[in-house]
Amino acid sequence: MTATLDRPARPTESPRGAGSARRRFLGALDSRGQVVEHLTPNWFGAVMGTGIVANAAVALPLHSAALVGFATVVWVIAALMLTTISAGFIAHWVRHPQNARDYASHPVMSQFYGAIPMALLTVGAGTLHLGAPLIGQTPAVWIGGALWALGTAAGLVTCVWVPFSMMTAERRHEVRALPAWLMPVVPPMVSAATGAALIEFVPEGQARLALLAGCYALFGMSLVFGMMTLAMIYARLLHGGVPVSTSAPTIWITLGIIGQSITAANLLGAHADLVFSGDQAPIALGCKIFGMIFGLAMAGFGVAMFALATAVTVRSIRAGMPFALTWWSFTFPVGTCVTGLSALGLALGAGPIQDASEVLYVVLLTAWVIVATRTAHAAFTGRAFLAA
């Protein structure tokens, strides 16, 4: 039930009429009200994939006014997308509640409810890093903090609700692990990574300690759940084969927990000295050392998974992989690897790792341009809003 964009022309249309419809605004739909009829939660993946382009840009070791300006424009686009898609998603629940409930209970589509908190957290992080020149420092901090709190709460819900609903669902056949299973368990890790930047804006003392400790708890929660899920997915890939057709890009989701955990471990370590000082300074040093060692070990795992995902993608493209919203899986996970390598390279003072983050950002930017262009065209014609 993942939303695909390769649906054939409706039987009532002639080939000429179908081609004409593809060129008109929302021409593939019978009415404009159909836009929200099948507005599934994986649309929030477009917000994630756009927002990470902005956040990864400001995390790079490169610093220039042009790069910051570009990142700001992309962040604004992501914020507008979040607002528009959120409004449409609410309308989807209000106007088509049965469809919404069916999607929420579907074993695959329900996983993408994890995209909602991650979209909030991604835009919130961009607000914190890029919003000050546009809206002022204080509003940027408050809005970024509010989005972080809302995204964290929603992420905790998906981390528990989606697995619980799968455990208690009545099944007629066995459900096998898919890369999409990582979507609901990764949000707490995104909260841990993005929460690090909020520490300096929280009053000193117990408040900062609570935020840092909370972020490490979120880190542990997501890491353990994520690694268990990743092990099941890897076993399924070995025994059941790789995802095919429109599901093939979802294999890139496996990189999300890897890149985001490296980011979180090193950003939390970098901000630990704001909490632990004086006699407790060795604790802050220990946090930094943990981030570096964890980052190096996990980066090795990431290289292997990146190579595997690339090989699967090349194979799928040769087989004629059609375009679908799942193509947004090419963006956010790669973006987390950019932020992870940037944070790790800065912590270690390692030039080659920082260079690798810059090269990977070019890959991310290329993927984002391609996927965003294809999505914009499919949305213009209305094909993006058709049921799978």
Side-chain angles (χ1 to χ4, degrees):
M1 191 178 286
T2 50
T4 62
L5 306 181
D6 55 328
R7 181 171 173 160
R10 287 166 288 180
T12 56
E13 295 174 334
S14 66
R16 176 177 296 181
S20 177
R22 285 194 292 268
R23 291 190 293 270
R24 297 197 312 268
F25 179 59
L26 300 181
L29 305 180
D30 293 323
S31 68
R32 295 191 178 185
Q34 280 187 280
V35 168
V36 299
E37 186 175 352
H38 301 286
L39 196 67
T40 48
N42 55 355
W43 269 98
F44 287 92
V47 181
M48 295 164 52
T50 300
I52 197 66
V53 172
N55 296 343
V58 296
L60 291 173
L62 293 174
H63 298 287
S64 69
L67 186 61
V68 172
F70 168 75
T72 301
V73 171
V74 175
W75 163 69
V76 170
I77 293 173
L80 293 174
M81 290 173 64
L82 176 63
T83 303
T84 303
I85 294 174
S86 296
F89 193 65
I90 293 172
H92 168 68
W93 269 95
V94 171
R95 298 180 59 181
H96 305 281
Q98 187 56 53
N99 283 355
R101 285 192 292 268
D102 289 343
Y103 287 128
S105 62
H106 191 273
V108 176
M109 189 57 70
S110 62
Q111 309 297 324
F112 288 92
Y113 268 84
I116 298 175
M118 287 192 282
L120 293 168
L121 293 164
T122 303
V123 173
T127 305
L128 199 63
H129 295 303
L130 299 164
L134 296 181
I135 61 177
Q137 181 68 40
T138 300
V141 172
W142 277 100
I143 295 173
L147 289 173
W148 182 85
L150 183 59
T152 299
L156 290 172
V157 170
T158 63
C159 192
V160 175
W161 164 65
V162 175
F164 174 77
S165 65
M166 294 176 65
M167 295 174 189
T168 57
E170 295 183 4
R171 299 190 183 95
R172 297 180 180 178
H173 54 82
E174 181 182 359
V175 177
R176 295 187 294 180
L178 298 170
W181 282 18
L182 284 167
M183 291 295 292
V185 301
V186 173
M189 186 65 76
V190 182
S191 292
T194 55
L198 287 169
I199 294 176
E200 63 180 288
F201 299 106
V202 174
E204 296 182 17
Q206 292 298 309
R208 283 188 179 179
L209 175 60
L211 180 56
L212 180 66
C215 286
Y216 270 113
L218 292 167
F219 171 87
M221 177 192 303
S222 186
L223 182 66
V224 174
F225 273 133
M227 289 297 103
M228 290 192 301
T229 305
L230 193 56
M232 290 189 289
I233 293 170
Y234 187 73
R236 190 268 180 186
L237 294 176
L238 290 177
H239 296 286
V242 299
V244 296
S245 188
T246 57
S247 298
T250 61
I251 194 171
W252 288 88
I253 296 175
T254 57
L255 284 171
I257 187 68
I258 298 172
Q260 201 67 72
S261 64
I262 298 173
T263 305
N266 283 278
L267 291 183
L268 290 174
H271 289 81
D273 56 4
L274 296 174
V275 178
F276 302 110
S277 58
D279 294 339
Q280 293 185 315
I283 300 178
L285 179 60
C287 290
K288 292 181 180 179
I289 293 174
F290 167 76
M292 290 184 283
I293 295 175
F294 176 88
L296 287 170
M298 192 62 79
F301 181 36
V303 169
M305 291 305 299
F306 190 96
L308 180 62
T310 300
V312 170
T313 302
V314 170
R315 177 176 179 269
S316 300
I317 291 174
R318 288 178 175 176
M321 179 178 65
F323 179 64
L325 287 180
T326 50
W327 278 33
W328 282 100
S329 302
F330 295 134
T331 56
F332 187 82
V334 175
T336 66
C337 293
V338 175
T339 58
L341 289 177
S342 296
L344 178 61
L346 180 62
L348 291 170
I353 295 179
Q354 293 178 320
D355 293 341
S357 70
E358 295 169 1
V359 172
L360 199 56
Y361 185 76
V362 175
V363 175
L364 167 65
L365 192 59
T366 302
W368 176 70
V369 170
I370 294 173
V371 179
T373 301
R374 296 292 299 271
T375 303
H377 179 265
F380 178 85
T381 62
R383 291 175 64 82
F385 305 112
L386 294 172

